[in-house]
Amino acid sequence: MSAQTVPGPPAAPVSWPVARSLVHAAGRVAAPEPVDVPLAGADGLTLAEPLTTLTDLPAFPTSSIDGWAVRGDGPWRVVGRVLAGSTPPPLTDAGTTVEIATGAMVPTGADALLRVEESARDADGQVTGTPRVQPEWRLPGEEATAGERLLPAGTPVTPAVAGLAASCGYDTLRVRPAPRAALLVFGDELLTAGPPGAGRVRDALGPSVPAWLRRYGCVVDPARVVAPVADTLPDHVAAIRQALADADLVCTTGGTMHGPVDHLHPALAELGAEYVVNTVAVRPGFPMLVARVAGPDGRSRFVAGLPGNPQSAVVALVSLVAPLLAGLTGRPEPELPAVVLGDEVPGRGNYTHLALVRVDPRRGTAHPVRHVGSAMLRGLARADGFAVIEPGTRGRPGDRVPFVPLPLPAGEHP
């Protein structure tokens, strides 16, 4: 399916799975060039090339115990000590031993290691005991051999990955940089402080969307959050153009329909944008879009049009923005886990239904939450994610269905 030139909505909304694949592919094509960053700064970024070992792991035979490296049969005469971080002389004579610490290099010529707690010293100071049959050291290459591929490109860098890279001898990692994102909140009816009243509602997306974007790995400078943008076409065009100057992704809220003050589509047309996806057959969140605009360097930048209703905006984030960002960072299209429904969930006719659910951590079952209108946030605040009910179906208790998790804070795991 090819992208569509702005303006003009498509003849029919794109199916939810196809829309996700389209935006992911567009992101992959526009991914920025890799950069080298120190290990300490790589957490949360994505490997731009496979991680391979620079040496055997371990690089030399390493003691896994505190005790004695012995040669020949005992008792053994003590001829030295070897600690971690040093290179020991070889054991050349039978009946000799060196004291050895955990992590220390095993000397050449050693036949076995003897645990300190299973040893003794005789009256002459010689070491006695019986080494275990199983070797007590790690052999070179036991974990990996030099040049072995450990992780593929597209792997998120976690503390464990950074530690593995360090153990291989890396000081830097080649990664995809974090996408830079901006947010433009459209709507003259919005208040940015205080309680709603007198026909004006409080903006709930200005404070929340940047936080969702950060959880997806974006960099969002507070200066790149503009709320509200006046409901005129010139103001929309100017705000989007300015945001695109230093952002890979500009999210907008509201204006995705074709009403009298919905200026997003005309603004995109004026900017020479091209639709990647324009409306998706999903409920809630139907009027969502992703368009691309050529940057000064020739690389595409993206505008993600989120609906103005808060829950619908989050549906657009998990539906389109998450796979787009996966593409921009060189990660695979997100694979959805599955949940077992604990209650009935209605379908939405010919549309995919993303139903807010809370997952019971003991039973592993997903249960719909209340207060899930498009303009409501109460249900979202209690939910773990969305159960995916396919078009033309309804969810019944016991059904196993795809699940779109809400992104967790850094460091948290499901």
Side-chain angles (χ1 to χ4, degrees), residues 16-189:
W16 188 75
V18 169
R20 288 170 63 81
S21 295
L22 285 172
V23 295
H24 178 263
R28 286 296 291 263
V29 172
E33 289 299 312
V35 294
D36 294 313
V37 301
L39 289 180
D43 184 38
L45 301 178
T46 308
L47 292 180
E49 57 188 26
L51 181 69
T52 59
T53 53
L54 302 178
T55 180
D56 289 342
L57 289 181
F60 47 83
T62 306
S63 175
S64 57
I65 62 166
D66 291 325
W68 307 93
V70 301
R71 177 166 181 157
D73 298 326
W76 298 276
R77 176 171 53 89
V78 179
V79 296
R81 169 192 285 184
V82 55
L83 302 178
S86 62
T87 302
L91 274 176
T92 56
D93 298 328
T96 59
T97 183
V98 293
E99 187 178 8
I100 193 167
T102 300
M105 182 177 181
V106 177
T108 301
D111 296 323
L113 298 184
L114 172 64
R115 293 179 175 238
V116 66
E117 65 270 22
E118 296 175 1
S119 68
R121 303 287 288 270
D122 62 19
D124 296 326
Q126 296 190 104
V127 175
T128 62
T130 303
R132 296 190 180 187
V133 175
Q134 186 70 25
E136 300 272 34
W137 63 67
R138 299 174 60 219
L139 297 174
E142 184 178 300
E143 183 176 0
T145 56
E148 184 176 344
R149 176 172 143 164
L150 302 179
L151 297 169
T155 299
V157 179
T158 63
V161 171
L164 177 61
S167 72
C168 293
Y170 285 88
D171 300 314
T172 63
L173 284 175
R174 194 157 182 78
V175 295
R176 297 285 180 181
R180 301 162 301 167
L183 172 66
L184 305 176
V185 179
F186 297 152
D188 288 340
E189 77 281 7

Side-chain angles (χ1 to χ4, degrees), residues 30-404:
E33 289 299 312
V35 294
D36 294 313
V37 301
L39 289 180
D43 184 38
L45 301 178
T46 308
L47 292 180
E49 57 188 26
L51 181 69
T52 59
T53 53
L54 302 178
T55 180
D56 289 342
L57 289 181
F60 47 83
T62 306
S63 175
S64 57
I65 62 166
D66 291 325
W68 307 93
V70 301
R71 177 166 181 157
D73 298 326
W76 298 276
R77 176 171 53 89
V78 179
V79 296
R81 169 192 285 184
V82 55
L83 302 178
S86 62
T87 302
L91 274 176
T92 56
D93 298 328
T96 59
T97 183
V98 293
E99 187 178 8
I100 193 167
T102 300
M105 182 177 181
V106 177
T108 301
D111 296 323
L113 298 184
L114 172 64
R115 293 179 175 238
V116 66
E117 65 270 22
E118 296 175 1
S119 68
R121 303 287 288 270
D122 62 19
D124 296 326
Q126 296 190 104
V127 175
T128 62
T130 303
R132 296 190 180 187
V133 175
Q134 186 70 25
E136 300 272 34
W137 63 67
R138 299 174 60 219
L139 297 174
E142 184 178 300
E143 183 176 0
T145 56
E148 184 176 344
R149 176 172 143 164
L150 302 179
L151 297 169
T155 299
V157 179
T158 63
V161 171
L164 177 61
S167 72
C168 293
Y170 285 88
D171 300 314
T172 63
L173 284 175
R174 194 157 182 78
V175 295
R176 297 285 180 181
R180 301 162 301 167
L183 172 66
L184 305 176
V185 179
F186 297 152
D188 288 340
E189 77 281 7
L190 298 174
L191 293 169
T192 57
R200 302 185 70 188
V201 296
R202 179 66 187 270
D203 168 36
L205 295 175
S208 60
V209 170
W212 291 120
L213 292 171
R214 291 187 185 100
R215 292 186 181 197
Y216 280 123
C218 286
V219 175
V220 189
D221 190 300
R224 294 194 180 112
V225 178
V226 181
V229 176
D231 277 333
T232 71
L233 178 57
D235 284 303
H236 279 46
V237 172
I240 297 172
R241 180 176 282 124
Q242 182 174 355
L244 285 170
D246 59 358
D248 302 294
L249 167 66
V250 177
C251 289
T252 66
T253 67
T256 53
M257 296 294 282
H258 296 272
V261 292
D262 291 332
H263 301 299
L264 179 57
H265 293 280
L268 292 173
E270 189 162 327
L271 292 166
E274 180 186 47
Y275 289 125
V276 180
V277 169
N278 184 11
T279 69
V280 181
V282 64
R283 297 287 187 179
F286 163 77
M288 63 179 74
L289 65 88
V290 169
R292 58 184 159 221
V293 181
D297 58 356
R299 185 171 63 85
S300 293
R301 270 64 167 174
F302 294 92
V303 177
L306 316 179
N309 280 323
Q311 190 195 150
S312 293
V314 176
V315 169
L317 281 169
V318 303
S319 296
L320 297 184
V321 174
L324 173 66
L325 291 172
L328 280 171
T329 55
R331 298 184 186 185
E333 183 177 340
E335 292 187 9
L336 301 181
V339 292
V340 176
L341 297 178
D343 301 290
E344 187 163 318
V345 180
R348 299 296 292 267
N350 293 327
Y351 291 80
T352 297
H353 181 199
L354 294 196
L356 275 174
V357 293
R358 187 169 183 84
V359 178
D360 185 322
R362 294 172 299 174
R363 297 183 176 88
T365 52
H367 302 269
V369 298
R370 299 175 58 197
H371 308 290
V372 294
S374 292
M376 297 180 180
L377 287 172
R378 184 174 173 181
L380 184 69
R382 297 186 62 249
D384 297 306
F386 298 88
V388 181
I389 309 302
E390 295 181 356
T393 70
R394 63 187 302 108
R396 295 177 172 80
D399 284 354
R400 188 174 177 85
V401 300
F403 176 65
V404 183

